[in-house]
Amino acid sequence: MPLPAGIAAFVPGTSVAAGAAVLFAVGSVLQHEAAVSTADARGVELRRLVTRPKWMAGQSATVLGTLLQVVALALAPVAIVQPVLAGGLVIALAIRSVRDRCLPSRLDGIGGRPHLRWPGRFPGRCAPGRRYR
């Protein structure tokens, strides 16, 4: 089924934004795991953290995600890109659940629910060029 002409122009930007969301999710999960494994009674020391390959991999994923976000914003308006990036929070919950081999907590599920509902509605309501009062 072909897309309407206006929407089809934003498919590349939306795809790049989805890639950025996945990279942000992977980066945050890896950084969280590294921070938890290096924490002691005094907290987390940045000097010890930067020596962890897992934390550096997470940082690299986040930097690459930021670059993809910039590319996505060059290809599609922020009204389309930002909700897709917000969906990365749900992706991070899913990745974390798989890595921990347990379901997300009820509180995590409550926090992730709006991100599943809102992005589908947002682009249609904030379409580029549409005026609001």
Side-chain angles (χ1 to χ4, degrees):
M1 177 167 77
L3 294 172
I7 294 174
F10 301 127
V11 170
T14 305
S15 301
V16 173
V22 169
L23 285 171
F24 282 133
V26 168
S28 67
V29 168
L30 290 175
Q31 287 177 329
H32 180 263
E33 289 177 0
V36 168
S37 69
T38 59
D40 57 14
R42 296 175 297 171
V44 178
E45 290 183 27
L46 185 60
R47 260 183 282 152
R48 286 181 44 204
L49 201 55
V50 297
T51 63
R52 302 284 181 163
K54 188 181 280 190
W55 190 83
M56 292 304 292
Q59 189 67 19
S60 299
T62 302
V63 168
L64 188 56
T66 303
L67 294 174
L68 284 181
Q69 180 182 2
V70 171
V71 171
L73 288 169
L75 298 172
V78 71
I80 292 174
V81 172
Q82 197 59 38
V84 174
L85 292 174
L89 296 172
V90 177
I91 296 168
L93 276 175
I95 293 170
R96 185 90 180 137
S97 294
V98 169
R99 292 182 67 84
D100 288 347
R101 292 186 173 91
C102 69
L103 293 173
S105 70
R106 186 176 191 155
L107 188 59
D108 288 339
I110 291 169
R113 191 168 294 132
H115 296 288
L116 290 174
R117 291 182 184 175
W118 186 253
R121 296 179 186 162
F122 190 71
R125 294 175 191 252
C126 297
R130 187 169 172 187
R131 293 184 166 252
Y132 295 93
R133 292 181 209 178

